[in-house]
């Protein structure tokens, strides 16, 4: 890989733009203060110096020009915007970040002219609905079915962010299973993968067999927490607090609780201590915390959350099943 790599973002919509924005901000700081730098250290040789953001519509081209146009004239980091021309873009890139919808990805990857330009490269996909094996099949199956051989494949890695990516608090999951060229990712590619996704939050590597269940936690939890926030704010609103004030306080308390839980994990060498956090909160609330917690226990709220997760996972399993049938 030559020094100063080229990263192509194929499908620079919500996720692609969030990642590109942080990477450009970090790279354009003359001497980033490591304390305020969200990204792990990466050698200069691997750091992208050039980005190609690829979209389809004129509206998206205009959006990207407004946001990143000034980087088109800078030599480092440099950004080019491409309307379509995916094969050409992939040919110029060292790393390809696929951040489009699964159906759009499926159409694009089955273009046989893409194959040779992907050889030996890192292909990162955020498509939750396309497994690495499905991506591999889309890229290479035609060639194999026609009796041809594929001299060098690309390394395909699946990374699943969640909706908090927009505020750089994604709990991104990355599959330990790599498809394509090899089943293990070369160390340089692994460092690049971690670096890229650290731009939008935390990165957790998972065995592929657990990716579905794990991604349901990070995917569904934000929706379910909003229900808890509504319930927590409701009584104070009924007693006269404005809705924005009540929701702000409830959301800030949720953020604070999450920080406490995470810091206890650090203190306890990887073990969470939810009871400790709860006891601390109850002790500081003069009895009303204990009373309220009892109400939640009697209403089996914990079981309701578990049931909500279970229903969500069941729906996902059914969809996966349907998806694999259509793939047969
Ligand atoms: N957003 C999330 O929080 C989230 C969380 C987890 C996983 N994901 C996954 O990440 C992927 C991207 O999500 P997103 O929300 O960022 O999607 P998005 O905002 O809809 O962005 C998709 C982008 O792909 C572009 N595109 C479509 N076809 C293309 C083609 N042939 N060549 C080049 N660009 C093309 C679109 O361009 P135009 O705008 O010009 O049409 C659009 O900008 C999805 O598979 C999603 O399941 C997203």
């Amino acid at each position: 890989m030559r020094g100063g790599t080229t990263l192509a973002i194929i499908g620079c919509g919500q996720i692609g733009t969030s990642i590109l924005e942080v990477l450009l901000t970090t790279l354009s700081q003359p001497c980033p203060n490591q304390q305020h730098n969200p990204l792990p250290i990466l050698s200069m040789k691997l750091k992208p110096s050039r980005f190609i953001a690829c979209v389809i519509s004129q509206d998206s081209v205009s959006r990207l020009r407004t946001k990143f146009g000034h980087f088109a004239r800078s030599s480092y980091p440099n950004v080019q915007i491409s309307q379509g021309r995916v094969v050409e873009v992939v040919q110029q890139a060292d790393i390809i970040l696929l951040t489009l919808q699964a159906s759009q990805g499926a159409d694009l990857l089955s273009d046989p002219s893409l194959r040779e330009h992907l050889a030996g490269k890192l292909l990162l996909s955020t498509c939750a609905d396309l497994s690495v094996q499905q991506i591999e099949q889309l890229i290479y199956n035609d060639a194999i079915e026609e009796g041809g051989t594929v001299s060098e494949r690309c390394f395909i890695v699946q990374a699943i962010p969640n909706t908090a990516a927009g505020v750089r608090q994604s709990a991104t999951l990355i599959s330990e299973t790599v498809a394509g060229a090899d089943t293990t990712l070369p160390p340089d590619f692994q460092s690049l993968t971690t670096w890229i996704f650290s731009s939008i939050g935390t990165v957790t590597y998972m065995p592929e067999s657990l990716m579905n269940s794990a991604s349901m936690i990070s995917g569904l939890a934000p929706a379910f927490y909003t229900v808890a926030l509504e319930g927590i704010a409701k009584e104070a609103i009924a007693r006269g607090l404005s809705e924005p004030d009540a929701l702000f306080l409830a959301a800030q308390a949720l953020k604070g609780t999450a920080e406490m839980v995470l810091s206890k994990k650090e203190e306890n060498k990887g073990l969470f201590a939810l009871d400790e956090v709860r006891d601390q909160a109850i002790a500081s609330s003069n009895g009303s915390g204990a009373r309220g917690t009892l109400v939640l226990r009697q209403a089996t709220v914990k079981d309701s959350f578990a049931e909500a997760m279970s229903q969500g996972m069941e729906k996902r399993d059914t969809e996966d099943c349907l998806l694999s049938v259509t793939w047969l």
Side-chain angles (χ1 to χ4, degrees):
M1 201 183 287
R2 65 178 184 268
T5 50
T6 297
L7 171 63
I9 302 173
I10 311 292
C12 199
Q14 265 187 59
I15 289 284
T17 304
S18 297
I19 292 175
L20 183 56
E21 194 171 8
V22 185
L23 296 187
L24 289 173
T25 308
T26 308
L27 292 172
S28 51
Q29 284 166 3
C31 186
N33 175 346
Q34 201 52 40
Q35 241 189 340
H36 298 114
N37 180 5
L39 305 182
I41 290 167
L42 186 74
S43 75
M44 280 309 283
K45 171 180 80 112
L46 295 177
K47 269 186 192 161
S49 54
R50 182 168 174 248
F51 297 82
I52 312 176
C54 191
V55 284
I56 286 291
S57 65
Q58 189 51 47
D59 279 358
S60 288
V61 170
S62 306
R63 169 180 61 83
L64 293 175
R65 273 207 190 119
T66 308
K67 213 169 172 62
F68 303 121
H70 52 293
F71 285 108
R73 294 177 296 276
S74 110
S75 56
Y76 179 87
N78 175 269
V79 178
Q80 299 301 317
I81 296 157
S82 175
Q83 189 169 18
R85 297 186 291 124
V86 172
V87 175
E88 208 180 302
V89 170
V90 169
Q91 184 179 13
Q92 292 178 36
D94 302 294
I95 313 136
I96 297 100
L97 178 58
L98 199 66
T99 46
L100 24 70
Q101 303 297 336
S103 58
Q104 302 164 330
D107 290 345
L108 186 139
L109 293 166
S110 42
D111 179 347
S113 46
L114 209 61
R115 206 174 296 139
E116 61 176 299
H117 302 307
L118 282 168
K121 295 180 181 176
L122 175 61
L123 173 63
L124 300 168
S125 163
T126 66
C127 300
D129 298 324
L130 277 181
S131 69
V132 283
Q133 288 79 12
Q134 286 170 332
I135 293 178
E136 187 178 22
Q137 279 176 25
L138 283 165
I139 302 173
Y140 298 108
N141 253 21
D142 267 11
I144 294 162
E145 274 166 17
E146 283 160 17
T149 51
V150 179
S151 52
E152 194 184 8
R153 296 190 182 214
C154 59
F155 294 83
I156 310 165
V157 176
Q158 190 186 36
I160 310 291
N162 72 355
T163 47
V167 290
R168 299 180 196 173
Q169 291 294 334
S170 171
T172 301
L173 295 159
I174 300 184
S175 172
E176 285 168 356
T177 306
V178 178
D182 207 336
T183 49
T184 48
L185 202 56
D188 279 358
F189 280 171
Q190 170 125 18
S191 306
L192 256 167
T193 304
T194 306
W195 187 79
I196 289 169
F197 286 99
S198 296
S199 66
I200 49 168
T202 62
V203 165
T204 306
Y205 283 84
M206 277 278 147
E208 202 197 5
S209 57
L210 297 177
M211 280 291 279
N212 238 345
S213 309
S215 68
M216 291 317 271
I217 297 185
S218 47
L220 295 176
F224 297 166
Y225 287 144
T226 63
V227 177
L229 287 175
E230 280 170 347
I232 286 168
K234 194 172 170 185
E235 184 57 22
I237 294 169
R239 289 169 184 248
L241 209 67
S242 74
E243 189 173 311
D245 281 351
L247 284 174
F248 168 76
L249 292 171
Q252 179 58 35
L254 176 64
K255 192 174 165 188
T257 311
E259 288 292 342
M260 280 166 74
V261 169
L262 293 169
S263 75
K264 291 272 181 220
K265 182 187 173 228
E266 300 243 307
E267 274 171 35
N268 295 333
K269 298 195 172 61
L271 290 176
F272 281 100
L274 292 181
D275 288 345
E276 223 176 283
V277 172
R278 193 164 35 237
D279 290 349
Q280 210 174 318
I282 285 175
S284 67
S285 68
N286 248 344
S288 44
R291 234 165 119 171
T293 306
L294 185 65
V295 172
L296 294 176
R297 287 204 193 286
Q298 282 167 346
T300 63
V301 169
K302 194 158 81 174
D303 293 343
S304 301
F305 274 113
E307 179 57 23
M309 289 303 299
S310 157
Q311 296 278 331
M313 289 191 192
E314 240 169 67
K315 179 164 187 303
R316 181 60 183 264
D317 289 346
T318 320
E319 281 169 358
D320 277 358
C321 207
L322 289 173
L323 202 68
S324 58
V325 169
T326 48
W327 279 83
L328 290 174

